[in-house]
Amino acid sequence: MLQQSKKEIVLQENNSENALAIYLEDEPINYIPEKDSGYTLDLSKSSCTNGVEISFDYNTWSVKTNYENYESNDNTRVKCSLYFKKRTFSEAVVDCGALSKDAGTCIKENYYLTDEVVSDETSDNNLRFIGANPDNYVWFNNELWRIIGVMNNIDDGTGVTETRLKIIRDEPIGQYSWDNKGEYGENDWTTSSIQIVLNSGAYYNRTSGECPSGQNSGTTICDFTSAGLTSEAKAMISNAVWNLGGLSSSSNIPSTFYKSERETTVYNGRPTTWIGQIGLMYPSDYGYATSGGSTGRETCLSYNLESWDDYNDCYNYDWLYTGHTGFSQWTLTPRSSSTVTVFSMYSYGIISYGTSNDVSMVYPVTYLISNVKITSGFGTKELPFILEI
């Protein structure tokens, strides 16, 4: 039930009484809704007469008036009209950011306002953006990225665990091999050729160079002088422990992938974790991003990711599906029964595997540092969330 203060509101300026009209969903009221009421000020409709400007201080939850451009006229009494409306998810997250709360906390506190964010119900209880096109766009590195989710228990590499936003670039940086060593490449991410490009090579350093393409150390020219990481972007990310557990088969449901990614089943002594800044999405990230359409999310989550081509709603209502490009997309996860194969998301909506020297789309993924805030925006492609430290 809505809890509101019944205190009468009267504004005064220079000892001259001014009038204040307050509306809630366009109905007149005589109190300001409390800040935990689920309502926010609609600045597009709120205004004052006589040139007085109005704003709202979310820290103190109070109305502010600016008389700098005040103009007297026959009616010197200033009248301000405040219109409060139901907060949307994006408005609530931005309001929360104005209170200097980190983005992860803001999403956790307000995800009940949208059906585009749900718990993945794993042991970590992460929050995931789901659906065909949720409002999860952020402006990062002077370009569009998207929030995969709010991830709990992320180790920063020193044993300290945090809640951090996991984001993915909206567009690929190109088509490259996961690894190009030998005839088929190797599925060890710690020495992967594309990992080096992303974390210490041309992409990380915003330069041009050579990227892996094909077998026997094959390369192709790649230029990241305008698409690599900026110094501002680097200040918003830091090391994280990335889990490298694998599976022998792609015939598994998302929860099985999630569990296995975090376990220690790997081929012949391969590393089970890696500490770094830029990775790729997991197969489970793709699976958990579906809303299921008419099929239903729970039903899609019960299907093996290898069989999703039989269930169009599962991938068509999954924003991480990039099959419209006609190309496959690399994930981070190796196949545990092989030295050379890695799981990919294929254009027809399934997760399967190919040799690491194959050429697929590369979408960088990273974890933002825990104190990054969302300070403006709506999460749409046209008006993405703006991040600040």
Side-chain angles (χ1 to χ4, degrees), residues 32-339:
I32 289 181
E34 294 182 349
K35 66 180 179 181
D36 59 352
S37 65
Y39 287 89
T40 191
L41 186 67
D42 186 348
L43 287 171
S44 67
K45 295 177 68 174
S46 301
S47 63
C48 292
T49 60
N50 298 61
V52 175
E53 297 176 354
I54 194 169
S55 62
F56 200 72
D57 187 329
Y58 289 97
N59 287 289
T60 61
W61 201 254
S62 59
V63 179
K64 301 295 183 183
T65 50
N66 183 345
Y67 278 72
E68 182 178 348
N69 297 317
Y70 172 77
E71 297 178 357
S72 63
N73 52 36
D74 292 339
N75 181 12
T76 59
R77 192 180 192 216
V78 174
K79 179 179 180 180
C80 295
S81 298
L82 306 183
Y83 288 83
F84 286 86
K85 64 178 181 178
K86 192 74 175 178
R87 285 193 299 176
T88 64
F89 168 72
S90 61
E91 289 169 336
V93 168
V94 170
D95 291 351
C96 178
L99 298 173
S100 296
K101 292 184 179 180
D102 65 87
T105 296
C106 290
I107 293 174
K108 279 185 174 182
E109 290 180 352
N110 296 287
Y111 82 96
Y112 68 92
L113 293 172
T114 178
D115 57 5
E116 293 183 339
V117 182
V118 300
S119 170
D120 61 14
E121 298 183 355
T122 64
S123 58
D124 295 303
N125 291 316
N126 306 304
L127 295 179
R128 307 271 185 169
F129 279 86
I130 64 169
N133 188 30
D135 292 335
N136 62 342
Y137 288 90
V138 295
W139 191 249
F140 174 76
N141 199 46
N142 293 328
E143 60 196 8
L144 288 171
W145 288 54
R146 303 187 76 172
I147 304 171
I148 292 177
V150 181
M151 303 301 174
N152 297 315
N153 305 315
I154 301 302
D155 191 324
D156 68 357
T158 70
V160 175
T161 59
E162 303 173 307
T163 295
R164 296 168 69 172
L165 290 194
K166 186 178 188 180
I167 63 173
I168 185 170
R169 197 175 190 267
D170 185 46
E171 297 289 340
I173 59 170
Q175 301 176 60
Y176 306 110
S177 296
W178 203 89
D179 189 67
N180 62 354
K181 293 187 286 290
E183 187 175 1
Y184 299 107
E186 298 176 359
N187 61 1
D188 180 352
W189 177 254
T190 65
T191 62
S192 157
S193 304
I194 195 62
Q195 180 271 117
I196 293 170
V197 171
L198 294 174
N199 288 274
S200 59
Y203 178 75
Y204 189 83
N205 293 308
R206 204 173 174 87
T207 60
S208 59
E210 295 184 343
C211 288
S213 181
Q215 61 186 169
N216 298 322
S217 301
T219 61
T220 185
I221 298 298
C222 48
D223 185 352
F224 301 121
T225 54
S226 61
L229 291 180
T230 63
S231 57
E232 293 79 9
K234 290 177 183 178
M236 289 189 176
I237 64 177
S238 65
N239 280 343
V241 173
W242 300 72
N243 297 289
L244 304 178
L247 302 88
S248 61
S249 170
S250 53
S251 183
N252 286 287
I253 62 176
S255 61
T256 300
F257 267 101
Y258 186 88
K259 184 173 182 290
S260 298
E261 289 157 5
R262 283 147 186 80
E263 292 182 342
T264 58
T265 302
V266 292
Y267 185 87
N268 194 29
R270 288 269 195 263
T272 59
T273 61
W274 168 78
I275 299 173
Q277 296 188 22
I278 308 295
L280 304 171
M281 76 171 183
Y282 289 111
S284 62
D285 289 329
Y286 170 60
Y288 280 125
T290 188
S291 64
S294 60
T295 299
R297 186 167 189 267
E298 293 305 314
T299 301
C300 286
L301 295 181
S302 71
Y303 292 149
N304 292 331
L305 289 174
E306 188 180 53
S307 66
W308 268 23
D309 55 334
D310 293 329
Y311 310 101
N312 293 354
D313 277 357
C314 294
Y315 62 82
N316 281 330
Y317 287 86
D318 188 317
W319 65 271
L320 279 171
Y321 170 63
T322 56
H324 53 83
T325 66
F327 299 98
S328 57
Q329 175 181 341
W330 285 121
T331 78
L332 192 66
T333 304
R335 188 178 176 217
S336 60
S337 57
S338 164
T339 63

